[in-house]
Amino acid sequence: MTLPSLVYALFLFSVVGVFWTLESLQARLWLLVVASLIFYASLQVQYLLLMVALLIVTFLIGNAIAAPLDWRIPNPRWQLAERGWNRRRTHLLWLGIAINVLLLVGFKYAEGLLRWLGIEVGAAPSDTLTRIIMPLGLSFFVFECIAYLVDVYRGSPAALNFSDFAAYKLYFPKLISGPITRFHPFIDQVEQQKPPGLNTAVEGLWLIAYGAVKKLLIADHIAILVNLSFDNLERAGSADIWLATFAYGLQLYLDFSAYVNIARGSALLMGITLPQNFDAPYFTTSLADFWRRWHMTLGDWLRNYLYFPLGGSRRGLVRTCLNLMTVMVIAGIWHGNNWGFLIWGAIHGAGLVVHRLTQSGSKAVPKLKGFWGTLPGTVLGWLLTQALVFASWLFFRLPEPDRYTLALQRAWGTPSDAQFSQLVYLESLGFTFSQLLMLLWGVVGLMGLAYLMKRGFKLELSWPVKLLLVPLFSLMAWLLAPAETLPYIYFDF
C-alpha cells in the first residue's frame, strides 16, 4: 500500500468515513491503531511485532519515569528519597534511550559490521536469509520514542492510556517517513473530536493531490535521469555528473516533500494537523536558515535533543562550533552506514561553523554586516548556500567510497561521452543535455513562482480553486506517471 495509490485512497477514505461515524474517543483511538497496523502489515508484516514491542516498552518506561515520589515518606527521609527517585528516573531515561538507539544502530550498521568481519551479506532482495532489511519507519519511530521519553523526564505528563500512545506512535500517515511529531500536540487534537470544516477538508484533498503531482509527475521522472546518469558514471562527463547532482537535489526535495504533503493531507481529513516539514529551503540565503526550513521536524529534534543538551551556543564560540559540527556529523551517521553520509554531515557542519564565524565577525565589522543585507549580499549568500547544499548531495546519492571517488575524479575536465549522451539523453529520455537543463531550471522557476506568490505577495489559492484542481491534479498524476512508481527515497533512512 503505497502513497499515493488507488489502494491507499480506498483505505484512507474508508478509515476517515468510519472515524467520523464513531462517537467514542476510545473507539476512534483504537480504530487508528488497527488501521495503522493494517497499513504497516501491507508494507512489511515481518517487523510488525518488533514495532509493537518497541511501542510497549517505550510506553512502560515513560510511565515509570513519570511515577511520582511517594508523599507519605517522613520528612527526615524526604531528601534521601528524592535523590533516589531522581536517580531512578535518570536510569530509566537512559535505559529507554539505549533500547531505542541500539535497535536503530543494530539494523543500520549490522550489514557493515558483518562485512567488516568478513561475513558475506546478500545484496539482492531475494537473499532473505543473508540480507538484513531495515524496518520501514524505524528511524522516525525511534526519534519520536526518544523525544517522548525526554519530554516526560523534563516534566511533560506521560500518556494516561495505552490507546493514546499507540494511536500517536503508529498513526499511519506519518509512520514511515514522518513528519516527526510530539505526543501532546497530536493527542490533544484527536481528543478535540472536531470534524474538519469545508476549508480544512478541501485543504487535505488539495495536499494529497499536490503531493501526488510532485511525486509521480515530477520527482519520479527526474529520478529516471538521476538513476541512468549515476548508473553509468564510467561514461559520464563532468557536465553530466553535475547535471545529475542538480537533478538529484530537486528529486530528493520533491520526493520527500510530496510524502509529507500526502501525510499532512490525510491527517487533515481526520481533523489532525501534522507539523510542516519544508518551507522553500532552496531559496534560503544561509545554511542555518536552510536547516530551519529543510526537514524542519528533524532540525527541531536535533536542536532540542542534541544541540541544546550539548550546550548549544551558551558556552562560547569555540564550543558552539564544536556542537554544530558534532550534531551534523551525527545527522550524517544517522542517514546510513557509508562514508558518504558522514562526509555529507561534515560538509554541512563545516558550513554551519563558517556561518557562525561569519556572524560573529560581522558584529565586529559593521560594513560586513550591512553588506549581507544588501541585494548583492543576498544573492551571494543564496549562491554560496545552494552551491554547498547541491554539491554535498553528491555524497548523499553516492555514499559508497568507490562511487563518490569515481564521480569526483570525473567531475572536472572530463569530456562528455557521445555514447552516454545518445543512450541516456536522446534514446532513454528523448531530450538533449541543454533541454534537460532548461526543464530542471523550469522546475526551479515554478518553485520560485510559488514561493514569490506565498511569501512575497501573501497570496493563496482559495478553497474553490483548490477543489477544482484536485481532480485535475489527480488525473494528471495518474495518467502521466512513469510506468514504474519508485519508492520514496527517505524510506531507506
Side-chain angles (χ1 to χ4, degrees), residues 47-116:
Y47 285 131
L48 186 61
L49 289 179
L50 174 69
M51 303 295 271
V52 172
L54 185 57
L55 160 73
I56 294 172
V57 168
T58 302
F59 173 74
L60 293 175
I61 293 177
N63 278 354
I65 291 173
L69 181 62
D70 189 350
W71 59 271
R72 294 170 297 179
I73 298 172
N75 284 337
R77 296 172 53 193
W78 180 267
Q79 290 184 339
L80 182 62
E82 186 178 25
R83 285 197 294 269
W85 176 68
N86 282 326
R87 282 197 300 271
R88 175 176 172 273
R89 294 177 71 247
T90 302
H91 292 158
L92 286 168
L93 173 65
W94 283 111
L95 174 64
I97 292 174
I99 291 171
N100 279 276
V101 170
L102 288 175
L103 186 64
L104 179 61
V105 169
F107 276 104
K108 275 187 176 290
Y109 293 96
E111 283 193 16
L113 179 61
L114 290 174
R115 288 197 177 99
W116 183 73

Side-chain angles (χ1 to χ4, degrees), residues 163-180:
S163 56
D164 291 357
F165 190 68
Y168 153 70
K169 282 302 302 120
L170 297 171
Y171 188 52
F172 65 90
K174 69 175 181 65
L175 178 59
I176 306 300
S177 287
I180 301 169

Side-chain angles (χ1 to χ4, degrees), residues 411-428:
W412 289 275
T414 303
S416 297
D417 187 317
Q419 192 174 18
F420 177 95
S421 300
Q422 179 67 29
L423 293 175
V424 172
Y425 298 145
L426 297 177
E427 293 185 14
S428 298

